[in-house]
Amino acid sequence: MSPFLSPDSFVRTRLAAVFFTAALLVSVSMGISGAHAAQPNEFPPEVQKAVNEILASRDTGKAIPSKAVLDEFLAYATSPLVRSGDFPAKRKEGHGIIWRSSIKQPMATTLRYLFDPKIPSEIAYPASVRRQNWHPGSDILTLDPPLWEQLGKHADTPLVLRGVETESITPDTFSSSFYSYTQDRLYILTEYQGTQVLITASWQKGKSDVGRKATPIGDYDNWDFVYSDAAGTLASGIGWADTYMYAANAIIVFYEEAPGSGVTRYTIFKWLDAGWSGMNMVKQEHLTAGAERSFAGLKAFLESPALPPAEEIAAYVASLEALDTDALRARFKPYSLKVSEAAANDKILQSDDFQKKIANGSYGDNLSREEIIAAMSVNWIKGKLGKPQLAGPLE
């Protein structure tokens, strides 16, 4: 221990060094690109004004920024001068990051898979989202025609959608904790200089549930995670810490690389306040690592040559939702048994926190039907993409 640190300061420093990048998920889309060192920077005044106006548009009935203000923001968000890994100035929601990359799919295809409410985010973001669902009354649930069929129709008058969603995330690589939270969402579909653009904004509603312990089976990129009910972390020396996501917001811009191109680019502006005892422990390097992991999963999904039709994915999820809970648990049983078997070679899974939930093939008996559907959906998409499945197809 450094002689310059009190015991409490040492703990804070230790926690900060290992703390998580939670909330960089589907719903907070990031991307994969080479990050570089950068100092926090102020936005140009016109961009700061636009960012403030977008983030002030949270409440239903609140007017979105004018088209002129949105265009000022989009000029910046789509500029090649904005680089992945740039750090925007800190906001009250915490430290921030700018992240950008591209998806080798046309804009319409990207929207078809990412913004169809019949395709849950755990399928599109298997590395970072455990479960996502829209609340009744959210505009996207009843939009007709659907979002991807609205492209090209809102050059002058943007389409505005609002909604509320609940999301649970996979364990992060720093604390191995997972979190659940609710957030408001805003979608603005428009055009900028002849290209199709979707702006999304999100705001976390209150602090998250307490962080709970979870762990992957094998590597994180296997997308197989086991979730306990025990609060705390798996980070050495701080397993006792009750951690929370206190505040988060993001603005994400999806746009065509060029009109009619087969590539969708995106730029993300994300701020996060998370930690313990009200202290924000999130640093930019945590946000960067979370972006890389989240979008490795997204790109593995969307850019796979074996990507199944969106209709097939939606039909599979609907087939699971049509089963009663006993039938779901019976179909999930082989997976539960494999989780128990994995504990033989995994000291974390041998701990009481996990054994209470997984012993003797009982994992599925201790999950909700929504959690079972989410795990089965990820297992199914792994098979479709040619990734090894933990327990086979579960048919």
Side-chain angles (χ1 to χ4, degrees), residues 8-301:
D8 183 58
S9 295
F10 175 75
V11 170
R12 294 184 198 179
T13 303
R14 177 74 174 276
L15 183 58
V18 298
F19 201 63
F20 68 112
T21 63
L24 291 185
L25 356 148
V26 103
S27 62
V28 202
S29 300
M30 291 289 178
I32 300 174
S33 180
H36 61 277
Q39 296 299 316
N41 60 285
E42 297 290 344
F43 293 126
E46 67 278 6
V47 177
Q48 186 63 63
K49 177 177 183 293
V51 168
N52 290 343
E53 288 193 25
I54 292 171
L55 293 179
S57 303
R58 176 175 189 166
D59 296 334
T60 300
K62 180 88 173 181
I64 65 168
S66 68
K67 188 66 166 63
V69 170
L70 290 178
D71 284 352
E72 291 277 14
F73 171 70
L74 291 172
Y76 181 81
T78 62
S79 168
L81 298 179
V82 177
R83 300 174 298 174
S84 193
D86 282 347
F87 300 147
K90 183 178 179 180
R91 296 178 62 89
K92 62 182 177 62
E93 294 81 9
H95 292 297
I97 190 173
I98 298 173
W99 200 261
R100 74 182 330 177
S101 189
S102 62
I103 300 166
K104 295 176 183 177
Q105 288 285 10
M107 182 79 163
T109 302
T110 299
L111 299 192
R112 177 69 180 87
Y113 283 90
L114 298 189
F115 298 98
D116 181 350
K118 297 178 182 178
I119 300 178
S121 292
E122 55 264 28
I123 289 180
Y125 296 87
S128 55
V129 177
R130 181 191 186 188
R131 178 67 178 162
Q132 176 268 344
N133 66 280
W134 286 101
H135 290 208
S138 297
D139 292 340
I140 198 167
L141 296 175
T142 55
L143 182 63
D144 188 22
L147 189 62
W148 56 94
E149 293 182 12
Q150 301 268 359
L151 290 169
K153 300 179 180 179
H154 299 280
D156 300 317
T157 304
L159 173 68
V160 179
L161 304 175
R162 296 182 182 274
V164 180
E165 65 181 351
T166 296
E167 187 169 73
S168 297
I169 58 175
T170 63
D172 63 86
T173 55
F174 295 92
S175 68
S176 205
S177 301
F178 72 99
Y179 303 82
S180 298
Y181 50 89
T182 301
Q183 59 186 9
D184 292 319
R185 271 214 174 271
L186 168 68
Y187 294 162
I188 304 172
L189 184 66
T190 186
E191 291 186 15
Y192 173 69
Q193 294 188 346
T195 61
Q196 301 297 307
V197 175
L198 176 67
I199 301 171
T200 85
S202 61
W203 301 261
Q204 184 175 308
K205 294 167 70 73
K207 73 178 182 181
S208 70
D209 292 347
V210 67
R212 300 184 187 278
K213 299 175 184 179
T215 189
I217 295 178
D219 295 333
Y220 270 81
D221 60 8
N222 288 343
W223 307 341
D224 292 309
F225 301 97
V226 183
Y227 299 86
S228 80
D229 293 325
T233 83
L234 295 179
S236 177
I238 56 169
W240 49 266
D242 284 346
T243 59
Y244 297 88
M245 291 167 50
Y246 296 112
N249 59 29
I251 304 173
I252 309 153
V253 183
F254 292 91
Y255 59 99
E256 296 176 293
E257 185 173 62
S261 75
V263 176
T264 302
R265 296 194 62 80
Y266 54 88
T267 305
I268 299 98
F269 305 85
K270 171 71 182 179
W271 294 267
L272 176 63
D273 177 357
W276 67 289
S277 296
M279 296 179 292
N280 186 9
M281 298 298 180
V282 175
K283 298 181 180 296
Q284 282 92 342
E285 57 263 34
H286 301 148
L287 297 171
T288 299
E292 291 174 340
R293 184 166 66 89
S294 178
F295 273 77
L298 173 67
K299 290 167 77 71
F301 168 71

